[in-house]
Amino acid sequence: MIPLSRFLSLVTDPSLLNRRIDRDKSQRDAVVATLNQSLFIIAGPGSGKTTVLTLRVLKLIFVDDVDPASILATTFTRKAAGELRSRILGWGDDLRNALIRDPSSSSMLRRQVEALDLNRVVTGTLDSIAEQTLSEIRASGTQPPIPLDEFVADALMQRFGLWKWPERRDKDLDFQTYVKAALASNRPVNIRQMLDFCRAARDRFLHDQVDVASFESSLAPANPGVSILCRIISDYHAKLTDDLVMDFASLEGEFLTRLGTGLLDRFLEDLRVVLVDEYQDTNYLQEQIYFAMARAAVAHSGSFTVVGDDDQSLYRFRGATVDLFANFSDRVSAQCAIQPLSIYLNNNYRSTSNIVSMYSDFVTLDSEYIPARVVGKPPLIAARTGSFAEYPILGIFRPDLETLAHDLAGFIDSVFNGTGVVVQHLGRQFLIVKDPAHGAIGDCALLSSSPREYNSGGTPRLPLLLRRKLESLPTPIKVFNPRGQEFCRIPEVQQVLGLMLECIDPGSRVQNNITNFPGDTPGVFQTWRLAAQGYIASNPPTPNTPPGTSIRLNHLSRFVTAWQNRSPRGAGRWPRETPLIELLYNLITWIPALQDDPEGLVYLEAVSRTITQSAQFLKYDAAIRRDPPASEESIKDNLWGIFHPLASGMIEISETLIEQLPRDRFNILSVHQSKGLEFPLVIVNVGSDFKNNHPAHAFKRFPKSGGPSQNLEDAVRPFSPLASLPVRPALDRAFDDLVRQYFVAYSRPQDVLLLVGLSQPNGEPRPIPNVAVGWTRDGLWPWQGLPDLVHI
């Protein structure tokens, strides 16, 4: 369409896109590679990979005249997919308009660019692309796939697999023994651990394409619990099949099956370019899907490009196999006859030189980690331009958790509410203060291995203590941490679920007739009801009359009473059937936190999705009937299918529910949540949980053996096509994962990196073996005392 030179001139024009790929040879090489040249792009943090992906797509369209509809680009998260799509459309429109305005453009060129429909570029996560494709290309009379959110799928596995009545497999001693060994636990396993293990095994079976029959026949004689596990997963799968729904693993499995049987040839015949981001978190099942698409693209004289960074592989616990990335060139050559060009993006445009130097040193500190990295990886180079301060790396270490939370809150308060914090370093003075023009508390985040506010024993952790300190400041700072508490114990959740129980089953009449609820479900129900009763007694105001109902009442107590009596005020009869989702949205009228608070909106989304998706498996479609005997049966149906999973702790806030972080809140995130994000100021919790060298938390800081992910990986690998891949010892893989976790954490900040944890009485970090603070797996501490930090 246009010469490459003209495209590059427009892209680098300071008045247009100002993407200076002419100054970064690696970026330029990746963008301008020929249409039929496949690429293996190893992209370090902050190296501009989204810029490269976007410009490569636009180069293929504007220079190589590739039909946008024949380009497919996948990313790991919906947020990243949205960002990529936004850039393709935005920058593409800028290029189009520049060409139309240019007087040197021919009339033919103007017509060509005006006709371009950049919306036809296929972008999304692999799951969303699979769902869309299976919906569009299917046999007449068959229904499209119905994917389930993870927490709803977990509830089904619990009810129809683990807690299948009357077997109660969770009580089977052989199964408990097997799970306990797989989790390397010295304590009895609870129901949440069993379910998590079953989910991980189910996903691993599909992700690694495991021969389950061989797995069971080989391992069950020595471990009878293996057969129980296989039956749990089989019954769960049967339930999905019977109800014509899919979890995400089975969605991808079905996609691969149809690709292999020719049922999706219409999809493949349109492909010419396939680009995959975050390839380091790919599993074997996904790799085979990508390879099927890659073969089609190359057959159409196109190419296959993958982008990723093995040092940022965080999702191995979800089945990702980082070896597929490290061995990509050999694997794609052997299976697809593709010879990719390797390109290293190692210029970091995000962080200061001090931060880049710190995490570059960290990732190469342990010599035993080097063999796990892509061969030939060049060092990262700080390439950020413009005016900015080279703040030193900071540390706040205190002898106890309460003091740490107090002093950390004071630091945050001074930076975002006050005049800033002054730091002295090497004879220079640095002022750390929010940007007066554009700064906000959302520019800061605390990253931890877990955002939980309580530990497993119910003791408050740093996230909770810091929340309390920040929210009690003279100028309070609100916190955003929707994953901080067990979902069923969140006050607003307890209130709304208790109100729903009080409405549909007054006096627990129907509930008390159910004698086989597992666990403490009746006790949780009672807690919810008490929370609701207390909230009713507080007589909360009603901003508006509840919409969508014949009940016109302005008081919560009257609304609940009317529901209990099934007696509408005014003319008409109570509806024959009332959906629970309607009741939910009526009740939140009296709970402002579930309407306008960022955390509350996430909670509301989790409850509403649980109701709407669970309706597919319930006899009464998540509705309450008016007339007996259906009235009582519908209440039982919903108590079992909706309220029980919520009460048993099976429903949790997943990362997919958190699309955006609020700018007016202090963010507390897991390191996994922070992947792909950046903040001016990042606080990394490197040791607030570790008072001593206790073996119970060794897996979080300095493993003594392989963990659950490594154990499961080793158990299924012999029965998978991945058996031929070399495998590092489980203990090394556990250490590798910790190195990657903190490498990601340390590479999130733009300006200021602050490490926090517990200290000795003299203020130095405690000498507890901990990968996060520079201990190596041979038991040495090259960064002893963290002397290069400025301790404040």
Side-chain angles (χ1 to χ4, degrees), residues 546-560:
T549 177
S550 60
I551 306 174
R552 302 301 180 188
L553 302 172
N554 291 325
H555 298 285
L556 178 58
S557 61
R558 295 178 184 173
F559 177 87
V560 173

Side-chain angles (χ1 to χ4, degrees), residues 209-329:
Q209 298 289 277
V210 172
D211 181 340
V212 179
S214 295
F215 169 81
E216 181 178 1
S217 63
S218 297
L219 300 185
N223 298 282
V226 169
S227 292
I228 305 295
L229 171 67
C230 292
R231 288 206 295 274
I232 290 170
I233 293 173
S234 176
D235 287 345
Y236 163 74
H237 179 73
K239 179 61 178 175
L240 297 185
T241 302
D242 290 345
D243 290 326
L244 304 176
V245 295
M246 298 180 180
D247 58 15
F248 290 117
S250 57
L251 177 69
E252 292 175 357
E254 181 65 17
F255 192 43
L256 177 61
T257 297
R258 296 195 195 182
L259 285 171
T261 56
L263 295 175
L264 297 180
D265 283 353
R266 181 153 58 91
F267 164 74
L268 294 175
E269 69 188 15
D270 292 332
L271 281 181
R272 200 171 180 196
V273 176
V274 177
L275 306 102
V276 183
D277 190 16
E278 301 288 2
Y279 197 83
Q280 77 277 354
D281 288 317
T282 294
N283 58 56
Y284 178 75
L285 168 60
Q286 294 167 340
E287 178 199 58
Q288 295 306 299
I289 292 172
Y290 292 139
F291 281 2
M293 295 191 289
R295 286 188 285 267
V298 171
H300 301 144
S301 302
S303 58
F304 179 42
T305 292
V306 305
V307 184
D309 181 12
D310 49 307
D311 289 330
Q312 299 185 71
S313 179
L314 291 184
Y315 288 92
R316 283 166 38 78
F317 70 98
R318 288 188 179 175
T321 304
V322 69
D323 311 82
L324 302 182
F325 180 83
N327 296 283
F328 170 74
S329 294

Side-chain angles (χ1 to χ4, degrees), residues 288 455 530 541 573 631 683 735 786:
Q288 295 306 299
N455 66 19
L530 291 174
R573 292 186 68 197
S631 174
I683 304 164
F735 271 104
L786 301 177

Side-chain angles (χ1 to χ4, degrees), residues 313-592:
S313 179
L314 291 184
Y315 288 92
R316 283 166 38 78
F317 70 98
R318 288 188 179 175
T321 304
V322 69
D323 311 82
L324 302 182
F325 180 83
N327 296 283
F328 170 74
S329 294
D330 291 339
R331 293 182 65 80
V332 77
S333 174
Q335 298 189 45
C336 305
I338 293 173
Q339 301 297 328
L341 172 67
S342 294
I343 295 177
Y344 298 90
L345 301 181
N346 63 318
N347 284 326
N348 179 285
Y349 299 97
R350 172 188 299 155
S351 306
T352 65
S353 296
N354 285 339
I355 293 173
V356 173
S357 176
M358 184 270 192
Y359 63 72
S360 295
D361 189 15
F362 174 79
V363 82
T364 56
L365 198 61
D366 189 341
S367 61
E368 294 300 316
Y369 177 66
I370 305 303
R373 306 181 78 203
V374 169
V375 176
K377 209 170 190 180
L380 292 165
I381 298 172
R384 182 176 172 182
T385 59
S387 176
F388 55 89
E390 278 283 359
Y391 297 102
I393 310 300
L394 307 178
I396 296 180
F397 292 85
R398 299 293 185 266
D400 61 84
L401 204 53
E402 184 72 24
T403 304
L404 176 61
H406 176 273
D407 291 356
L408 181 54
F411 172 86
I412 296 167
D413 184 37
S414 296
V415 171
F416 290 96
N417 287 336
T419 57
V421 173
V422 176
V423 174
Q424 303 284 344
H425 181 58
L426 298 178
R428 296 183 59 192
Q429 182 171 287
F430 297 87
L431 176 65
I432 303 172
V433 68
K434 78 171 182 181
D435 184 328
H438 307 290
I441 188 61
D443 291 334
C444 182
L446 171 68
L447 307 186
S448 295
S449 60
S450 167
R452 287 289 193 179
E453 296 184 345
Y454 295 91
N455 66 19
S456 59
T459 302
R461 298 180 65 242
L462 179 61
L464 177 60
L465 297 181
L466 184 58
R467 178 195 286 270
R468 290 172 176 170
K469 298 292 185 183
L470 290 173
E471 294 182 348
S472 64
L473 290 169
T475 302
I477 294 176
K478 290 189 175 182
V479 169
F480 183 72
N481 183 19
R483 300 180 68 218
Q485 298 184 57
E486 187 177 354
F487 186 67
C488 65
R489 299 184 186 277
I490 295 167
E492 295 85 359
V493 173
Q494 292 182 328
Q495 289 166 1
V496 75
L497 293 176
L499 287 169
M500 294 179 76
L501 288 175
E502 289 289 280
C503 286
I504 68 172
D505 184 25
S508 307
R509 183 181 59 84
V510 176
Q511 174 190 320
N512 290 338
N513 290 330
I514 302 175
T515 59
N516 58 345
F517 271 135
D520 189 36
T521 292
V524 177
F525 284 176
Q526 180 61 18
T527 299
W528 291 353
R529 289 178 184 272
L530 291 174
Q533 292 164 9
Y535 195 66
I536 292 170
S538 72
N539 194 26
T542 310
N544 298 295
T545 301
T549 177
S550 60
I551 306 174
R552 302 301 180 188
L553 302 172
N554 291 325
H555 298 285
L556 178 58
S557 61
R558 295 178 184 173
F559 177 87
V560 173
T561 300
W563 242 96
Q564 292 174 335
N565 296 330
R566 307 296 195 266
S567 58
R569 301 288 289 266
R573 292 186 68 197
W574 190 267
R576 179 177 177 272
E577 178 180 282
T578 306
L580 274 186
I581 194 70
E582 179 181 312
L583 173 60
L584 170 68
Y585 281 103
N586 283 334
L587 286 170
I588 65 168
T589 303
W590 286 278
I591 308 178

